[in-house]
Amino acid sequence: MTTTPQAARRASPRKRRPATPAAPDPAAGLMPQAEPVRLLNSDGTPLPPRADYPEPPVEALREMYRRMIVGRRFDAQATALTKQGRLAVYPSSRGQEACQVGGVLALRDDDWVFPTYRESMALTARGIDPVEVLTLLRGDWHCGYDSAARRTAPQCTPLATQCVHAAGLAYGESYQGRDTVALVYIGDGATSEGDFHEGVNFAAVFKAPVVYFVQNNRYAISVPLSRQTAAPSLAYKGVGYGVPSEQVDGNDPVAVLAVLNRAVAHARAGKGPYLVEAHTYRMEPHTNADDQTRYRDADEVEAWRDRDPIARLETYLRARDVLDDAAVAEIAEQAEAYAARLRERMNAQPTVDPLSLFEHVYAQPTAQLVEQREQVRAELAAAQEEDA
Ligand SMILES: Cc1ncc(C[n+]2csc(CCOP(=O)(O)OP(=O)(O)O)c2C)c(N)n1
Ligand SMILES: [Mg+2]
């Protein structure tokens, strides 16, 4: 008599299966902490130290404080310059100082930074001449600084395109045997862009040494985070591509630097990219041209004043006895002198040659460009004759 396999299975008594060992979690080592990493309370008192994110040396934190103070003063000066007609537009990063300065301090000079329009403060913290940093926002056609010499890409206005540029550059660097890292600054809103996903994916597959540093400042112009994404944390966006990802309190300078130090070390060791989401807040409007009263309450902005990253670090450093009244006053003076010098230099009228617009577009200019350049040249000559 023949039986079908199904019938045989039905006939035999059910065997008890041995307990199977739990399959290893494929996302182990990739997942962010449930709560953003924090090493200081909002009032600047320390939390217990953590083995996974060791506290940076206190000298580095003191230098971070200095650069944050100078950075905030620079930022206020740049906003004032828009009101005096010296800058066309300025996107402030007031409130985001821990991220602006932390990103730069986590890197070596020969590492690369890929900034957005929001990162003027980060670039000045990197030591780039502030007038050069503001060149583009003044209305010139170029970014003002020498990108190759400063290892700093031009500030990127098209959202998220820097994510793919950084992946390519970092891959190229490691392909040539160098251990340089590229750090990408990107906003919360820009993580909805295709280029963000393509960049992170490429970096993950080819183990490009990139740190994707998301400053989640809660808004993409007027669009709040809740209308942008349903992800519980933007850090999960890295996990989906196999990238270890972390979230950090972006207004806790000590935690920001500790987490970025680990992310940079990971990338430098050849283990591929890392993603860090910093929870922070933009205290000013999107730019000087934006009216924030149309989309957020003053109460919300006020509530974030209590988490001010500078006050938090100052309290901590005073308690550690590495900062006193005299040092605070001296740093404030440095910041004032920096702003005064910037003001002076920005008040001088720049000399801009309109014909330079046509240079550096193509190695061999197209027929249209040649024609347009000729038109501009003729118009300028006619205007000069009229003036004479
Ligand atoms: C590809 C592209 N789409 C739209 C814009 C217009 N735009 C400029 S800034 C911005 C909001 C970006 O928000 P977020 O990424 O959170 O950065 P934040 O400005 O908050 O630093 C938008 C939509 C742009 N610059 N580029
Ligand atoms: Mg934003």
Side-chain angles (χ1 to χ4, degrees), residues 168-346:
L169 182 134
Y171 178 66
E173 288 280 297
S174 66
Y175 187 77
Q176 292 175 68
R178 291 192 280 270
D179 71 345
T180 43
V181 170
L183 183 134
V184 172
Y185 282 95
I186 180 168
D188 46 289
T191 67
S192 300
E193 287 281 340
D195 278 352
F196 165 77
H197 296 270
E198 291 169 30
V200 173
N201 187 55
F202 181 97
V205 171
F206 293 98
K207 285 205 177 331
V210 188
V211 173
Y212 288 97
F213 184 34
V214 184
Q215 284 174 100
N216 173 2
N217 65 7
R218 323 292 300 174
Y219 288 91
I221 314 185
S222 56
V223 180
L225 189 68
S226 59
R227 303 295 296 160
Q228 186 76 236
T229 181
S233 155
L234 298 174
Y236 288 107
K237 295 194 182 189
V239 176
Y241 294 106
V243 175
S245 301
E246 188 54 280
Q247 47 175 344
V248 62
D249 179 336
N251 284 22
D252 175 347
V254 182
V256 167
L257 192 54
V259 170
L260 286 177
N261 279 345
R262 177 164 164 177
V264 169
H266 174 97
R268 201 179 309 287
K271 297 180 190 164
Y274 209 98
L275 189 146
V276 177
E277 177 196 19
H279 295 266
T280 183
Y281 195 76
R282 151 165 77 68
M283 297 301 288
E284 295 290 322
H286 174 71
T287 69
N288 53 299
D290 169 45
D291 177 5
Q292 59 178 345
T293 63
R294 304 272 302 267
Y295 58 87
R296 65 183 186 182
D297 293 334
D299 289 355
E300 182 186 294
V301 183
E302 275 316 303
W304 277 86
R305 268 186 225 293
D306 293 341
R307 303 189 217 171
D308 183 68
I310 292 187
R312 210 159 162 184
L313 186 57
E314 185 174 324
T315 303
Y316 179 63
L317 293 177
R318 279 178 184 271
R320 291 281 309 267
D321 274 337
V322 290
L323 199 67
D324 58 11
D325 287 348
V328 167
E330 193 200 318
I331 293 169
E333 234 171 76
Q334 279 177 23
E336 219 33 68
Y338 187 91
R341 178 88 187 106
L342 174 63
R343 217 165 35 234
E344 221 171 81
R345 292 174 64 206
M346 292 294 285

Side-chain angles (χ1 to χ4, degrees), residues 9 12-18:
R9 253 202 314 273
S12 71
R14 204 168 266 260
K15 277 198 198 126
R16 188 167 292 207
R17 288 217 193 105

